[in-house]
Amino acid sequence: MPRLTRDRTTWLAYSQLALWGFFLYGFGPVVPLLRDEQGTSAAVAGLHSTAIAVGALLGGALFAPVARRIGRGRTAWLGLAGVAVGVTAFGTIRPLPATLAAVVVIATFGMLMISGVNVILTAHHGSTASAALTEANAACAGMGILAPLLIGATVDAGLGWRPVMAVEVGLIALLALAALTFRVRPPAASPALSVPATSSAPSVPATSSVPPVPATSSVPPVPAVSQVPPVPAVLPEHGRTGGGRLPRPYWIAWFLMAVTGSIEVCLSLWTADVLRSHAGLGAGAASAAVAAIVCGMFLGRLAGGRAALRYRPVPLLLVALAVSLTGFAVFWVAPVGWLAVTGLVVLGLGNALHYPLAISIALAVAGPAADKAAGWSSYSMGVGFGIAPVALGWVADGVGPHPAFLLLPGFIATAALLTLRLGRALRPHDQDRHGVRHAGASRPAQPATSHTSI
């Protein structure tokens, strides 16, 4: 197994993604509190998630041209600077249209940063990119645990949630200062990424395959069950990897990402409401308890990286969905806070692998159209983030948040059916057509001219 070497570029990328996690996982507990401030319904408050989706779509569309012009490293810093500006606005303004606009700005620049970080790590670490991206997303989830806890503490102290937004801006400024002080810069150009001519299939990294991938990804190699077309020998600095039609398995994975994204965002936005109305927690305690989901995701990603190196992605994804359903059942029936929080930790353990496994397969089957595939994948998340929370909020306005959460088992069941369909679409006859054997039977790709390969 290749050994991951962490240098200053690696730690900088980890830190950038971690600061995004601090905002993202703090954003969910803020939405119900913001709803109370603005006096809106749950459905209207859910429009903040739609604003995240709109920004993600804009950022996904902008990444390739911006990176071509200024490079991936500068694009990542531009994205983080834009996040700081948007978070400042979000923490200081109060009218609904203004907070929605601020969230669009945050998500747009956040997607620029996320995409830059993922591609930098993939190009920089090559055959060990799987481990690097898994660790990066563990850092993202680890910082995400802190945000709900801080929000709960400031709310209980009577300060509200807005001071936590100032903490985010301060952390971004500190990271920029540290990078300048220690002269940490991303690689000027991406080394050649090679696929050996004698290998029957490329080794696909555990958290990414090539291009811009959202923050939640921790993606495994695509093993025996999947058809993996050859990947481009070189991942250029500006992400030009060719086009072409995306295959049918990609689109199944695309819908799967939309459904699993719906699960994650609904939990992020409305879990605190259920804890308040059904488990009897106060506003501060309910906001802090959302950290249980992120804690489960953090642990799941730490274990999931190794599991993804050993097991096929489709069966592993089915197991993850089953774990999520089990955790949800415990959470939903729990009449007391501690039991509900236990269910949330289990739920987070399962959720940790949903999107990463789906995006790994999607990017692997895309082959030379990987940049195009990554761009389209942001739209799948936009669909999930833009529609599901508003729908759940609308139902909650009618029947209450606790009964409305029964939409989630429907999402999980739909994801399981799509996963089974994806497994059938990745059967060996497709591998034979491309002349590719099972990835699990081949040795990891070794670099021809560089230490990085996929």
Side-chain angles (χ1 to χ4, degrees):
M1 185 180 296
R3 181 179 179 181
L4 173 64
T5 302
R6 304 169 193 85
D7 56 15
R8 290 183 178 183
T9 296
T10 307
W11 291 114
L12 174 61
Y14 287 5
S15 301
Q16 289 174 322
L17 203 56
L19 294 185
W20 172 252
F22 186 86
F23 166 77
L24 183 65
Y25 292 112
F27 176 72
V30 161
V31 170
L33 301 174
L34 190 59
R35 178 200 60 193
D36 295 341
E37 283 185 12
Q38 296 175 334
T40 62
S41 66
V44 172
L47 291 174
H48 287 91
S49 175
T50 304
I52 285 268
V54 171
L57 298 181
L58 291 173
L62 289 172
F63 173 73
V66 172
R68 278 196 297 268
R69 180 172 292 272
I70 66 175
R72 293 167 181 162
R74 290 180 179 176
T75 300
W77 275 117
L78 173 65
L80 203 56
V83 169
V85 172
V87 168
T88 300
F90 184 64
T92 54
I93 56 183
R94 296 180 182 272
L96 175 66
T99 56
L100 290 174
V103 171
V104 171
V105 171
I106 294 168
T108 300
F109 284 94
M111 183 57 71
L112 289 178
M113 186 275 297
I114 292 162
S115 300
V117 164
N118 278 281
V119 185
I120 286 168
L121 285 175
T122 300
H124 191 56
H125 288 284
S127 61
T128 57
S130 59
L133 284 163
T134 300
E135 289 185 351
N137 284 280
C140 179
M143 281 294 287
I145 295 172
L146 298 179
L149 295 175
L150 281 176
I151 290 169
T154 57
V155 169
D156 281 342
L159 301 174
W161 56 270
R162 296 176 189 274
V164 180
M165 300 298 107
V167 171
E168 167 77 357
V169 176
L171 290 173
I172 293 173
L174 284 175
L175 179 61
L177 180 62
L180 287 173
T181 302
F182 295 102
R183 298 180 179 180
V184 184
R185 295 183 179 88
S190 303
L193 306 176
S194 65
V195 180
T198 58
S199 175
S200 58
S203 174
V204 182
T207 46
S208 174
S209 198
V210 215
V213 209
T216 53
S217 69
S218 86
V219 180
V222 179
V225 65
S226 66
Q227 164 264 323
V228 188
V231 205
V234 175
L235 179 62
E237 160 62 18
H238 303 307
R240 297 176 186 177
T241 56
R245 290 191 61 175
L246 295 168
R248 184 163 56 98
Y250 172 83
W251 293 110
I252 299 173
W254 189 95
F255 282 105
L256 179 59
M257 288 185 282
V259 175
T260 55
S262 298
I263 297 169
E264 184 172 341
V265 72
C266 285
L267 285 167
S268 176
L269 292 185
W270 301 123
T271 292
D273 253 13
V274 176
L275 291 171
R276 290 164 64 180
S277 65
H278 185 70
L281 297 184
S287 297
V290 176
I293 303 174
V294 192
C295 181
M297 293 178 69
F298 174 70
L299 296 174
R301 283 177 181 154
L302 287 180
R306 288 194 171 275
L309 292 172
R310 297 177 181 272
Y311 302 105
R312 300 173 179 178
V314 170
L316 190 58
L317 183 51
L318 289 172
V319 170
L321 290 167
V323 172
S324 294
L325 186 60
T326 301
F328 174 83
V330 174
F331 161 71
W332 196 78
V333 303
V336 292
W338 69 267
L339 186 58
V341 169
T342 301
L344 291 176
V345 173
V346 177
L347 189 50
L349 285 171
N351 287 0
L353 296 182
H354 293 178
Y355 179 82
L357 290 168
I359 190 65
S360 71
I361 298 173
L363 294 179
V365 300
D371 276 348
K372 180 180 179 181
W376 276 101
S377 71
S378 68
Y379 290 92
S380 74
M381 297 306 292
V383 169
F385 276 56
I387 298 175
V390 178
L392 192 146
W394 179 77
V395 175
D397 287 334
V399 301
H402 186 245
F405 251 53
L406 287 176
L407 287 176
L408 265 68
F411 290 148
I412 294 173
T414 302
L417 291 174
L418 286 169
T419 301
L420 291 171
R421 183 69 190 90
L422 181 59
R424 289 194 295 270
L426 295 172
R427 288 274 166 82
H429 72 273
D430 284 332
Q431 298 176 20
D432 295 338
R433 183 183 64 189
H434 288 278
V436 180
R437 292 184 343 193
H438 293 323
S442 63
R443 295 179 300 170
Q446 300 298 323
T449 57
S450 164
H451 72 283
T452 54
S453 66
I454 57 175

